[in-house]
């Protein structure tokens, strides 16, 4: 992973927040800084294959006096073409983070792909956006799912007929 802008890695450990998975999470615009953080990583894909991107996003909110929305844009580029572009947000007024899981699917157009998260928050005073538990995995193909369903149906018929 590489990152730039106002973004840091934080050890949740219960203070000031708990991670959703493991010991570390990314902390966006800590210290009321400009929301300009970018986190990205290149990875290998197979052109024409579908992939699932999932992650947990939340907000650590210090004060209800500053009701801003933490927002995070996720993009996947494959072979230089944007194949996924979504923005997620958290406008809760809770004083602790509440992780929300997100999942999106994209189709790779090349063997070279990159995932990018960028801060799209409306402000920065009194809260930090949080990112954790990022995963990119091949999607089960429709043919494989149909095949699995067919095997299960055939197995069910054998049991009844035997």
């Amino acid at each position: 992973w590489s990152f730039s802008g106002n973004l840091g890695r934080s050890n949740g450990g219960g203070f000031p927040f708990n991670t959703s998975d493991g010991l570390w999470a990314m902390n966006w615009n800590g210290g009321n800084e400009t929301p300009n953080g970018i986190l990205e990583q290149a990875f290998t894909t197979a052109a024409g294959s579908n992939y699932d991107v999932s992650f947990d996003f939340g907000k650590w909110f210090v004060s209800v006096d500053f009701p801003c929305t933490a927002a995070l844009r996720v993009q996947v580029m494959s072979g230089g073409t944007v194949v996924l572009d979504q923005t997620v947000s958290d406008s809760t007024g809770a004083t602790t983070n509440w992780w929300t899981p997100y999942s999106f699917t994209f189709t790779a157009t090349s063997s070279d792909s990159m995932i990018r998260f960028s801060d799209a928050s409306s402000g920065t005073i009194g809260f930090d956006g949080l990112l954790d538990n990022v995963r990119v995995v091949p999607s089960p193909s429709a043919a494989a799912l149909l095949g699995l369903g067919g095997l299960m149906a055939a197995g069910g018929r054998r049991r009844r007929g035997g």
Side-chain angles (χ1 to χ4, degrees):
W1 290 95
S2 62
F3 66 93
S4 62
N6 296 318
L7 173 66
R9 186 176 77 156
S10 298
N11 179 342
F15 180 82
F17 59 87
N18 289 312
T19 59
S20 71
D21 181 66
L23 295 175
W24 298 94
M26 297 308 290
N27 183 24
W28 302 83
N29 66 46
N32 302 330
E33 297 175 339
T34 303
N36 64 3
I38 296 174
L39 174 70
E40 58 189 16
Q41 182 172 9
F43 58 99
T44 303
T45 51
S49 295
N50 293 329
Y51 293 85
D52 294 328
V53 174
S54 55
F55 56 92
D56 299 332
F57 180 66
K59 179 172 72 171
W60 182 69
F61 198 43
V62 178
S63 170
V64 294
D65 295 332
F66 304 104
C68 294
T69 297
L72 189 65
R73 182 178 185 188
V74 58
Q75 296 173 293
V76 175
M77 287 70 66
S78 185
T81 301
V82 176
V83 293
L84 174 69
D85 191 349
Q86 296 287 327
T87 300
V88 300
S89 62
D90 183 340
S91 58
T92 61
T95 55
T96 58
N97 66 293
W98 298 101
W99 293 103
T100 302
Y102 291 92
S103 183
F104 301 101
T105 300
F106 71 92
T107 302
T109 58
S110 168
S111 61
D112 299 317
S113 295
M114 176 179 285
I115 188 167
R116 175 181 295 150
F117 294 94
S118 54
D119 197 339
S121 299
S122 63
T124 62
I125 298 176
F127 73 90
D128 299 341
L130 305 170
L131 174 69
D132 199 7
N133 202 18
V134 176
R135 300 162 314 280
V136 178
V137 296
S139 297
S141 71
L145 288 176
L146 288 174
L148 180 60
L151 287 173
M152 292 169 65
R157 280 194 299 269
R158 278 191 209 123
R159 282 190 214 119
R160 282 182 280 194

